[in-house]
C-alpha cells in the first residue's frame, strides 16, 4: 500500500466527516434560531396588543370619569333646585307637616274601591256545608250511582 494515497483518503474522509458534523450543527442551530425568531415575533405582537388594550382602557376610564363628573354636576344642580323650590313653597314648617300627615290619615281611612260591597263577592277558601274545608265533591252534582264511577287510586 502506498502511504501517499492514505493521506488523501484520510483527508477526504475528514472533509466528509467535517461536512456532516457541520450540516448537523447548522440544522440544530438554525432550528433554534428560527424558533427564537418566531418567539420574538410573538412577543412583539403580544406587546402591541397589550398596548392597544391599555390605550382602550385609558380612554374608557377617562370617558367614565367624565360621565361621573357630569352626573355629580347634574345632582348638585337638582339638589339646588329642590332646595329653592322647597323654600318657595314653605314645606318645611311644622304646621304644614302636621296638615299633610292628617290628610294622609284621612285618605287612608277611605275605601279604595267605590261602589257597593255586595257587587264584589268575597274570596272563599272554604266549601259550603259542615266540613269547613274544601271537600272533594265541592261544586259537583250528586250522581245517582256512585258504584259505576271509577275511583282514583289512593297513595
Amino acid at each position: 500500500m502506498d502511504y501517499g494515497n492514505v493521506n488523501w483518503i484520510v483527508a477526504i474522509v475528514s472533509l466528509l466527516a467535517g461536512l456532516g458534523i457541520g450540516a448537523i450543527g447548522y440544522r440544530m442551530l438554525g432550528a433554534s434560531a428560527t424558533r427564537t425568531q418566531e418567539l420574538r415575533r410573538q412577543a412583539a405582537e403580544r406587546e402591541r396588543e397589550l398596548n392597544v388594550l391599555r390605550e382602550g382602557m385609558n380612554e374608557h376610564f377617562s370617558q367614565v370619569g367624565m360621565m361621573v363628573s357630569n352626573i355629580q354636576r347634574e345632582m348638585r344642580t337638582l339638589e339646588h333646585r329642590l332646595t329653592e323650590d322647597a323654600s318657595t313653597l314653605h314645606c318645611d314648617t311644622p304646621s304644614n307637616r302636621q296638615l299633610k300627615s292628617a290628610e294622609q290619615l284621612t285618605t287612608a281611612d277611605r275605601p279604595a274601591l267605590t261602589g257597593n260591597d255586595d257587587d264584589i263577592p268575597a274570596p272563599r277558601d272554604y266549601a259550603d256545608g259542615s266540613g269547613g274545608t274544601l271537600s272533594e265533591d265541592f261544586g259537583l252534582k250528586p250522581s245517582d250511582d256512585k258504584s259505576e264511577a271509577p275511583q282514583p287510586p289512593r297513595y
Side-chain angles (χ1 to χ4, degrees):
M1 181 169 235
D2 192 12
Y3 289 108
N5 288 337
V6 172
N7 287 339
W8 281 101
I9 294 174
V10 169
I12 292 174
V13 169
S14 297
L15 179 69
L16 290 178
L19 286 175
I21 292 172
I24 291 173
Y26 177 75
R27 289 284 261 175
M28 293 174 87
L29 292 177
S32 67
T34 304
R35 179 162 179 175
T36 304
Q37 186 179 13
E38 179 67 24
L39 288 175
R40 285 183 184 161
R41 186 189 61 79
Q42 285 180 354
E45 184 178 329
R46 297 289 189 264
E47 186 69 29
R48 184 186 55 81
E49 289 174 359
L50 185 62
N51 288 336
V52 168
L53 185 64
R54 282 182 185 157
E55 290 173 7
M57 291 299 288
N58 289 338
E59 182 179 334
H60 170 74
F61 283 126
S62 66
Q63 288 176 354
V64 167
M66 287 178 15
M67 289 177 184
V68 166
S69 64
N70 289 341
I71 288 172
Q72 288 174 341
R73 184 173 31 90
E74 291 292 324
M75 187 176 67
R76 284 191 298 271
T77 304
L78 181 63
E79 187 177 356
H80 180 70
R81 173 86 185 260
L82 285 174
T83 55
E84 285 180 353
D85 291 345
S87 66
T88 303
L89 295 175
H90 302 290
C91 289
D92 269 345
T93 61
S95 61
N96 283 346
R97 275 192 232 137
Q98 289 174 354
L99 288 175
K100 281 187 177 182
S101 62
E103 182 181 325
Q104 288 174 349
L105 287 175
T106 57
T107 56
D109 289 339
R110 287 187 231 141
L113 295 175
T114 58
N116 295 337
D117 290 335
D118 298 334
D119 296 342
I120 302 170
R124 294 174 39 169
D125 60 348
Y126 59 89
D128 292 331
S130 63
T133 59
L134 283 176
S135 63
E136 291 182 0
D137 59 349
F138 177 70
L140 299 176
K141 296 185 181 193
S143 62
D144 293 333
D145 47 358
K146 290 191 175 195
S147 62
E148 291 182 21
Q151 294 293 325
R154 301 280 179 173
Y155 296 106

